[in-house]
Amino acid sequence: MVRLHHVTKSFKLDEKDTVVIDRISLEINESEIFGLVGGTGSGKSTILRLMTGFVEPDEGEIFLMGQKLDHESKYHLVKDTSMIFQGFHLLSNLNVIENVLLPGRLRSIKKAHNLTRARELLSFVGLEAFENARIRTLSGGQKQRVAIARSLMTQPRVIFCDEPTSALDEEMRGEILKLLRDINQTFGTTIVLVSHDIAVIKTLCHRVAVIEDGHIHQIFRLQPREMAPVSYEEAFYLD
Amino acid sequence: MIERFIDLWDKFGGELLKASLETLDMMSTALFMALLIGLTLGFVLFLSGSSGIRPSPLLYGILSGLINLIRSVPFILLIIVMIPFNRLLIGTGFGVDASKVPLSIIGIALYARFTEQSLLDVDKSIYETSYTLGASLWQYFRHFLLTEARSGLILSFTTTAISLLSYSTVMGVIGGGGLGYLAMSQGYQNFHYDLMWLIIIGLVVLVQLIQVSGNLLAKRFDRR
Ligand SMILES: Nc1ncnc2c1ncn2[C@@H]1O[C@H](COP(=O)(O)OP(=O)(O)OP(=O)(O)O)[C@@H](O)[C@H]1O
Ligand SMILES: [Mg+2]
């Protein structure tokens, strides 16, 4: 579904070219939940940006859904993917439903159809009562659920998640992870998940790559566990 | 009081009306140009600036330098040095139509800078958001930048309008007429102080009205 072949990327840091991603090769399968872990600055976000085409590699090739990413293809390939960010990245000047409708408006999807789908997805993420709420008034977990509903509008085949739960507390983290797993199981969506939180990775991922200084240090196969505890009571009860 | 006012109106009603229309004429052209060209140039400044998505030091440098130049020349001198340019552009250096040129130029320069600043206030991550949601470059302008910056853009357009109203009062230098000129020529120089005060009060009220409507409009479009 996503394939990196000898991908290298440097950035200018303090006037010097610094290799951030160093000849990485990687293949992520369809319907897989694939994790990327690693320390701060190890290059995880950059790998996601390379995969969406937002950042272009200096060397190597990247294939999305079997097609090579380049200057032109990236604009239509990216339309079959979506991305979820740590900071939610909702438009603050649009309300909840307007945010969810946005991807459909960008693709000139019929208004009525777009609205029906947006409402379905808002209820899928449990926010049907918040249609007209302003973004500012939502909690972090609610904002991330709006972002997830928005990301599902276009029926993406791959969802990239960059630290989707890092800005959330324990309980909300559980909700979001459960939602991501539901999406993977219901729609067979491939998910690429960056997190520095080992527990998140262990809960959700089928495989995980450990990134160190722009290299893949190792890839582990995991047995996704039961869902992370959703409340403190459950967490302490399990201990 | 009322009688003095009626008296004033009898004497200068016609001239007041004519001057008001001249001001309106100059202002509407200049504001339209500021909105159309200033907004566009503001986007160009933002995109070609160091944090934009198409950085171009050359383009940015030229545009930004030009805007600074226009804004730093004292306006009354700008009007005078632009007379040849007016001739070139509209065939005459004097009159209401010629006045629209310098007024538009300053409006464009002001609003281009204000637009750039409003866009710089938008969250930097918005381009990646728009890209990953599948937006084209045009959609990035229309659905992301414009949506997030719209309140700021409305407020700075209000400021531009008020500045232009003030600039328009000196257009008498090249025969531009308007309310400011009437207040100066008939009111001050011909000792009709009543008329001068009437125009000053009128302009003060107008500025308040512009500001209040700008604020209301900005608020209406602000969902934050
Ligand atoms: N656009 C850029 N320009 C210059 N340097 C960059 C850019 N993007 C990333 N870098 C650098 O590349 C390195 C890797 O960054 P990246 O954001 O991919 O790390 P990360 O693993 O996601 O870190 P974190 O866990 O802190 O999010 C860092 O040293 C960062 O400073
Ligand atoms: Mg990161």
Side-chain angles (χ1 to χ4, degrees):
Chain A
M1 201 62 180
V2 185
R3 190 155 71 84
L4 273 61
H5 183 70
H6 291 321
V7 171
T8 297
K9 179 73 197 175
S10 311
F11 285 117
K12 268 214 160 45
L13 292 173
D14 307 323
E15 304 291 307
K16 286 199 312 266
D17 272 339
T18 311
V19 177
V20 171
I21 302 299
D22 194 6
R23 287 170 61 82
I24 281 191
S25 295
L26 178 66
E27 179 148 11
I28 298 170
N29 303 319
E30 189 157 1
S31 301
E32 187 174 28
I33 304 185
F34 191 92
L36 292 165
V37 286
T40 284
S42 58
K44 305 178 299 291
S45 298
T46 306
I47 294 178
L48 282 194
R49 292 197 173 114
L50 285 161
M51 288 174 174
T52 61
F54 185 71
V55 164
E56 283 180 27
D58 300 333
E59 281 165 48
E61 294 170 323
I62 299 163
F63 296 87
L64 255 186
M65 297 160 281
Q67 276 176 277
K68 187 173 180 302
L69 271 182
D70 59 34
H71 263 340
E72 279 148 38
S73 69
K74 66 177 187 181
Y75 290 104
H76 70 255
L77 288 176
V78 77
K79 290 192 173 182
D80 284 327
T81 73
S82 51
M83 179 120 179
I84 293 165
F85 303 87
Q86 175 174 1
F88 322 122
H89 293 199
L90 298 169
L91 271 68
S92 60
N93 231 348
L94 298 179
N95 67 19
V96 167
I97 190 102
E98 287 167 344
N99 264 285
V100 180
L101 288 168
L102 189 55
R105 287 178 63 196
L106 299 176
R107 288 161 180 76
S108 320
I109 287 170
K110 277 217 193 73
K111 263 206 177 116
H113 180 72
N114 202 21
L115 191 62
T116 316
R117 183 158 174 78
R119 292 204 165 119
E120 273 168 22
L121 287 171
L122 274 182
S123 80
F124 177 70
V125 300
L127 287 178
E128 59 272 56
F130 291 83
E131 223 183 91
N132 295 312
R134 293 179 181 212
I135 300 304
R136 181 171 49 82
T137 64
L138 303 180
S139 72
Q142 289 170 330
K143 284 182 193 164
Q144 195 59 297
R145 283 189 275 155
V146 176
I148 290 176
R150 180 179 71 178
S151 78
L152 292 174
M153 278 301 278
T154 56
Q155 291 165 295
R157 297 176 61 193
V158 191
I159 301 181
F160 299 100
C161 310
D162 196 351
E163 307 272 7
T165 57
S166 301
L168 307 177
D169 67 25
E170 190 80 7
E171 200 175 326
M172 301 229 179
R173 190 181 76 171
E175 281 177 28
I176 298 299
L177 294 183
K178 186 165 172 335
L179 207 50
L180 288 176
R181 172 176 289 177
D182 285 350
I183 290 164
N184 172 257
Q185 284 172 354
T186 318
F187 309 111
T189 314
T190 310
I191 294 179
V192 186
L193 176 75
V194 164
S195 181
H196 62 255
D197 187 339
I198 309 284
V200 168
I201 298 284
K202 279 179 89 172
T203 314
L204 217 57
C205 297
H206 305 123
R207 283 194 301 154
V208 58
V210 181
I211 311 296
E212 266 175 31
D213 296 329
H215 293 280
I216 295 184
H217 180 63
Q218 218 171 343
I219 296 186
F220 296 100
R221 191 167 288 282
L222 303 173
Q223 288 300 324
R225 295 185 315 183
E226 271 309 293
M227 220 48 236
V230 290
S231 68
Y232 292 118
E233 286 81 0
E234 279 175 82
F236 298 134
Y237 179 72
L238 286 177
D239 283 352
Chain B
M1 178 72 201
I2 299 277
E3 266 165 42
R4 267 170 80 184
F5 184 76
I6 292 172
D7 203 32
L8 205 61
W9 186 254
D10 278 342
K11 253 196 251 159
F12 295 108
E15 276 179 84
L16 264 171
L17 202 67
K18 180 168 167 284
S20 302
L21 288 176
E22 281 164 356
T23 296
L24 189 71
D25 188 16
M26 285 189 280
M27 286 287 290
S28 50
T29 306
L31 280 176
F32 177 74
M33 296 307 251
L35 187 62
L36 199 74
I37 303 176
L39 189 75
T40 310
L41 290 183
F43 271 85
V44 175
L45 278 172
F46 173 73
L47 294 179
S48 61
S50 56
S51 61
I53 61 166
R54 299 275 190 279
S56 162
L58 184 69
L59 178 63
Y60 184 85
I62 291 174
L63 211 55
S64 179
L66 204 62
I67 287 170
N68 290 343
L69 184 77
I70 292 168
R71 292 183 61 187
S72 53
V73 177
F75 188 60
I76 200 110
L77 294 177
L78 184 76
I79 298 173
I80 290 164
V81 297
M82 280 191 58
I83 292 175
F85 182 66
N86 296 349
R87 283 217 184 87
L88 202 74
L89 204 67
I90 57 169
T92 167
F94 295 87
V96 176
D97 282 339
S99 299
K100 292 172 183 172
V101 180
L103 206 57
S104 298
I105 296 283
I106 190 77
I108 290 168
L110 279 176
Y111 198 51
R113 192 59 92 192
F114 283 140
T115 300
E116 181 197 16
Q117 276 158 9
S118 295
L119 296 176
L120 284 171
D121 283 339
V122 175
D123 194 318
K124 296 281 167 296
S125 63
I126 197 156
Y127 181 58
E128 187 173 9
T129 311
S130 103
Y131 172 78
T132 56
L133 287 177
S136 64
L137 193 64
W138 169 250
Q139 289 175 326
Y140 164 59
F141 296 163
R142 165 74 187 76
H143 290 286
F144 293 81
L145 286 178
L146 213 53
T147 301
E148 289 297 88
R150 61 192 178 196
S151 297
L153 289 173
I154 295 171
L155 286 178
S156 52
F157 192 67
T158 311
T159 306
T160 306
I162 291 171
S163 297
L164 286 187
L165 185 60
S166 157
Y167 284 130
S168 77
T169 56
V170 298
M171 278 309 168
V173 191
I174 52 167
L179 285 168
Y181 180 66
L182 184 63
M184 273 306 275
S185 58
Q186 282 291 9
Y188 181 65
Q189 282 150 4
N190 282 343
F191 310 109
H192 299 295
Y193 293 126
D194 281 3
L195 177 68
M196 184 181 82
W197 280 109
L198 182 71
I199 291 177
I200 290 175
I201 292 165
L203 287 173
V204 168
V205 171
L206 192 58
V207 167
Q208 305 292 340
L209 278 178
I210 296 174
Q211 188 66 56
V212 169
S213 15
N215 289 349
L216 284 176
L217 205 64
K219 205 163 170 201
R220 215 184 96 82
F221 280 101
D222 192 355
R223 303 281 159 69
R224 286 170 293 185

